[in-house]
Amino acid sequence: MTSTTRLRIAMQKSGRLSDDTQNLLKRCGLKINLTDRRLLAHVSNMPIDIMRVRSSDIPGLVMDGVCDLGIVGDNTLEETALERQMMNINADYVRTTSLNFGGCRLSLAMPEEFNYRGIKSLDGLRFATTYPQLLQRYARENGITVEFCMLKGSVEVAPRVGLADGICDLVSTGATLEANGLKEVEVIFKSKASLIQTATPLCPEKQKTLDTLLPRIQGVMKAKESKYIMLHAPKDKIAEVSSLMPGKETPTILPLAGRDDLVAVHVVATETFFWETMESLKALGCNSILVMPIEKTL
Ligand code: ATP
């Protein structure tokens, strides 16, 4: 168990989640020096320490209470939880919030020439994977039996060298599969990064720090998706213009100096603002349409 009152957060040391995690923490106002080689970095302006480890170690560190919080992919989290349940080791944790990065899917992929006729055509085959638990669970749920061989990296090469019939691996665009002569046949798990915490309640000091940090994390995520929109609109078209604005915020309508026919409309759009919407606004007679990023929101 952690002995101090400083909140200890585990994050990936280097890899696909490390930049996004680091940016998120920095945008939450945490002052961290992650350039040095120290694995436990001290946040200078909040009672927080950042522990930099391998992604696959994060769920266990949180489940064992060594770290209070962790930022990790749902794929790694679920795989570890299943593995620990199988070995009768505590696998409890709380998903504090889902994050808006690290999106990928765990898929089954076969050589291009494989004649795929549905999930049953995979019965009895052998898959190379880093995620044997998720693979076996999917096979069980679909009434098939599969074998696996464990590979921690370069999984895509396995069918070509005769190590396996297919692979079960993470995909984001599918370009790596294609480059290796493989086709995706089933998506077995959809993943994003999550902020998780220990299942045991935090001490009041740590809880207080988390109560400050969590709204900031949510604010950063909301700001990333939100845009501030400003435009000039014909006064008699305010209702149509408002109905075109994405999101649920009510627009602010302001007078324009020296103009009786036009007003300024300001709104925070909480959904994607498409070019098509801008074109429709222009067709209504709007001009000076500005779409700006939002840095923070609370
Ligand atoms: P470790 O830190 O233990 O070496 P890892 O080998 O899983 O972990 P990365 O390849 O950096 O390290 O992946 C980290 C996480 O990034 C994955 O577990 C997954 O949640 C997410 N991710 C997002 N897109 C992809 C992708 N296309 N391929 C692999 N992982 C992805």
Side-chain angles (χ1 to χ4, degrees):
M1 287 302 255
T2 50
S3 55
T4 70
T5 50
R6 295 177 70 82
L7 200 62
R8 187 177 291 171
I9 308 178
M11 66 167 273
Q12 192 189 28
K13 185 171 181 283
S14 66
R16 291 176 197 264
L17 297 179
S18 53
D19 283 353
D20 283 326
T21 304
Q22 205 169 309
N23 285 342
L24 172 68
L25 297 176
K26 283 196 170 154
R27 291 186 67 189
C28 286
L30 273 63
K31 291 210 168 78
I32 331 162
N33 179 5
L34 291 177
T35 52
D36 64 24
R37 289 169 167 264
R38 257 179 302 174
L39 296 181
L40 197 62
H42 197 81
V43 175
S44 60
N45 59 343
M46 281 176 93
I48 297 175
D49 290 325
I50 307 291
M51 188 161 163
R52 291 187 293 162
V53 291
R54 292 197 63 157
S55 206
S56 43
D57 290 333
I58 296 174
L61 287 169
V62 174
M63 289 164 187
D64 291 337
V66 175
C67 293
D68 307 297
L69 297 170
I71 293 178
V72 68
D74 293 335
N75 52 307
T76 311
L77 184 59
E78 192 67 6
E79 179 71 21
T80 311
L82 291 172
E83 193 181 285
R84 288 173 69 112
Q85 279 158 11
M86 196 185 67
M87 296 192 299
N88 266 326
I89 305 173
N90 169 37
D92 295 343
Y93 66 90
V94 173
R95 189 191 312 274
T96 316
T97 184
S98 196
L99 303 167
N100 57 355
F101 60 83
C104 59
R105 53 193 191 271
L106 185 66
S107 289
L108 299 179
M110 301 301 293
E112 259 152 22
E113 61 280 7
F114 182 80
N115 178 19
Y116 185 68
R117 291 162 283 103
I119 186 78
K120 298 283 183 230
S121 56
L122 303 178
D123 197 20
L125 298 186
R126 185 176 164 86
F127 290 83
T129 190
T130 317
Y131 301 95
Q133 299 297 333
L134 287 168
L135 169 67
Q136 296 284 15
R137 182 176 72 182
Y138 184 80
R140 266 195 314 276
E141 285 171 359
N142 285 278
I144 60 168
T145 319
V146 293
E147 285 180 34
F148 71 86
C149 65
M150 185 78 177
L151 277 187
K152 293 265 182 185
S154 306
V155 178
E156 304 84 9
V157 85
R160 225 183 318 145
V161 297
L163 200 57
D165 300 295
I167 68 164
C168 170
D169 200 15
L170 295 173
V171 183
S172 45
T173 61
T176 313
L177 290 183
E178 211 181 306
N180 284 283
L182 298 167
K183 64 180 174 194
E184 192 174 356
V185 295
E186 294 289 337
V187 175
I188 74 168
F189 189 81
K190 288 201 177 130
S191 182
K192 269 188 181 182
S194 285
L195 173 73
I196 57 163
Q197 75 181 84
T198 50
T200 38
L202 298 172
C203 68
E205 292 88 348
K206 288 183 181 182
Q207 187 60 49
K208 196 169 160 238
T209 310
L210 180 58
D211 290 343
T212 307
L213 182 63
L214 196 55
R216 291 192 190 182
I217 290 178
Q218 279 152 350
V220 169
M221 287 197 294
K222 204 170 156 207
K224 202 166 149 191
E225 282 147 24
S226 304
K227 295 280 178 277
Y228 193 81
I229 298 161
M230 300 200 306
L231 53 89
H232 293 169
K235 220 174 189 170
D236 58 348
K237 292 280 166 42
I238 292 176
E240 286 106 311
V241 169
S242 300
S243 71
L244 279 173
M245 293 299 186
K248 293 164 201 76
E249 305 274 336
T250 315
T252 305
I253 314 288
L254 300 162
L256 275 176
R259 295 293 297 256
D260 283 339
D261 54 333
L262 285 178
V263 286
V265 179
H266 291 199
V267 70
V268 173
T270 50
E271 290 161 21
T272 314
F273 194 68
F274 294 107
W275 279 106
E276 286 78 359
T277 314
M278 290 180 81
E279 284 150 9
S280 307
L281 288 166
K282 203 143 183 71
L284 278 175
C286 298
N287 59 47
S288 305
I289 307 170
L290 294 179
V291 180
M292 291 171 291
I294 293 174
E295 198 184 291
K296 293 186 180 73
T297 169
L298 202 60

